[in-house]
Amino acid sequence: MAAPAELREMLDSDIFKLAAATLKESAGPTFATLSSDPEANAMKQAWYAGYRDAFQDLEKLTQPKTTKNKLPQEWAHISLSNE
């Protein structure tokens, strides 16, 4: 259970924030990096989206998991325990 707290501490560190910002800035599209080749532009944007998704996924790992009712809604009134 300590792993999410340790990860949160790492994500909040100044060095990680600087590294994440540097990666996002270097991967982001700019006028100078736009190409007449649509495939090259798509690849550049895909890399950028990959960085963004990875950082968002790391954030999600620090959040507690929520458990949802496994029963379909029409069966939610039935208790699984012997009450």
Side-chain angles (χ1 to χ4, degrees), residues 21-83:
T22 301
L23 286 172
K24 284 192 241 180
E25 182 64 28
S26 66
T30 66
F31 263 143
T33 61
L34 288 178
S35 168
S36 60
D37 179 13
E39 187 174 329
N41 289 333
M43 290 298 292
K44 182 83 169 165
Q45 290 181 345
W47 274 100
Y48 182 64
Y51 281 127
R52 306 262 322 157
D53 289 347
F55 295 131
Q56 288 173 351
D57 289 345
L58 285 173
E59 289 285 338
K60 288 178 191 174
L61 289 174
T62 65
Q63 305 301 319
K65 291 186 178 183
T66 57
T67 56
K68 294 183 179 178
N69 189 353
K70 302 285 185 204
L71 297 172
Q73 188 61 32
E74 62 268 19
W75 296 97
H77 67 281
I78 298 174
S79 173
L80 296 177
S81 64
N82 294 330
E83 293 179 8

